[in-house]
Amino acid sequence: MLDSLFHRAEYIIRLDDASHFSNFEKWNKIERILDKYNIKPIVAVIPENMDNSISYSKYNPDFWKTVYQWQEKGWNIAMHGYRHIFHFIDRNELIFPFYNRSEFAGLKLNEQRLKIKKSNQIFLKNRINPKIWISPGHCMDNITLEAIKLETEIKIISDGISFYPYSFRGLHFIPQQLWKLKKKFFGIWTICLHPDTMSESEIKEFDKSLSLFVKKNDFLDLNNIDFTVRTKSFFDKLFNLFFWIKYEIKVLFGHNIK
Ligand SMILES: [Zn+2]
């Protein structure tokens, strides 16, 4: 346990909400930057986006061609739910209680299975093999995990608050704890970005900050992660506890959980 604390920090980039309605001008800019540094991100792909709040362009008929090209160059394609539409759910019933909403949690096993089955079919039809699950809005319950295991080949979930990946209910969780690049001294850190909503200056800033991290070879190839079964350490649990205490304080001061 202690040697992992002295292991230098490594990072994974995650790009969220790729769909037929993404702003591909921005996505192309991010892609060129990642290519320049040879970074292979995780991409959260929505197979049938019906969420108007994340529609940034008209329907792109070539969307799956692009996803296929990402897959071919070694990017890690993740299933980001099915339609990205939410129902109300008490967040205390979720594994990660970020919001009072979910596309899956709270539904019966057969209902969750059906959505995941339909999503998986779309990926397979388009020659995409999703290896990772990313819940829309982080929102899932234990039944979602069962449905993923029953309907897909997915073994990895990108989510959770921990310093290092851990196992839970027969799945491997790669934690996602950051929303911008930050210097850390140990641990494996996933930085979640939404290319569609990044401003020009944020994209430039991202490019600049990446160059500093890349020099030290700080980005992790997902294929090199050790996925032996590992429970959370005492330090992972402490980090998790403090993260959620901080989050609850933010909620008390008006942070939006809808
Ligand atoms: Zn999303």
Side-chain angles (χ1 to χ4, degrees), residues 14 16-18 44 46 51 54 80 84 86 101 134-138 194:
R14 189 179 110 182
D16 269 23
D17 290 340
I46 310 163
D51 183 348
I54 52 163
H80 191 38
H84 211 279
F86 301 105
R101 57 178 159 87
I134 296 172
S135 266
H138 307 270
H194 292 80

Side-chain angles (χ1 to χ4, degrees), residues 189-202:
W189 302 87
T190 305
I191 301 108
C192 173
L193 302 170
H194 292 80
D196 288 299
T197 56
M198 285 171 81
S199 67
E200 282 306 312
S201 61
E202 280 169 335

Side-chain angles (χ1 to χ4, degrees), residues 20 45-49 63-64 79 81-83 115-130:
H20 292 87
V45 171
I46 310 163
E48 201 171 281
N49 182 16
F63 174 61
W64 286 109
M79 183 185 289
Y82 173 39
R83 291 180 164 168
K115 286 185 183 206
I116 291 170
K117 185 184 181 157
K118 284 183 179 165
S119 174
N120 202 35
Q121 280 170 346
I122 299 172
F123 278 94
L124 298 180
K125 197 179 82 193
N126 290 288
R127 299 176 296 157
I128 308 295
N129 210 346

Side-chain angles (χ1 to χ4, degrees), residues 197-210:
T197 56
M198 285 171 81
S199 67
E200 282 306 312
S201 61
E202 280 169 335
I203 293 174
K204 281 206 183 100
E205 187 55 40
F206 175 62
D207 188 355
K208 216 168 93 189
S209 56
L210 273 189

Side-chain angles (χ1 to χ4, degrees), residues 95 104-113 116 140-150 169:
I95 300 175
F104 297 90
L107 301 178
K108 293 195 185 86
L109 178 63
N110 59 354
E111 294 169 312
Q112 297 206 35
R113 280 184 74 167
I116 291 170
M140 58 188 143
D141 58 15
N142 289 337
I143 294 175
T144 316
L145 302 183
E146 279 317 299
I148 293 166
K149 285 190 277 185
L150 289 166
R169 290 184 169 249

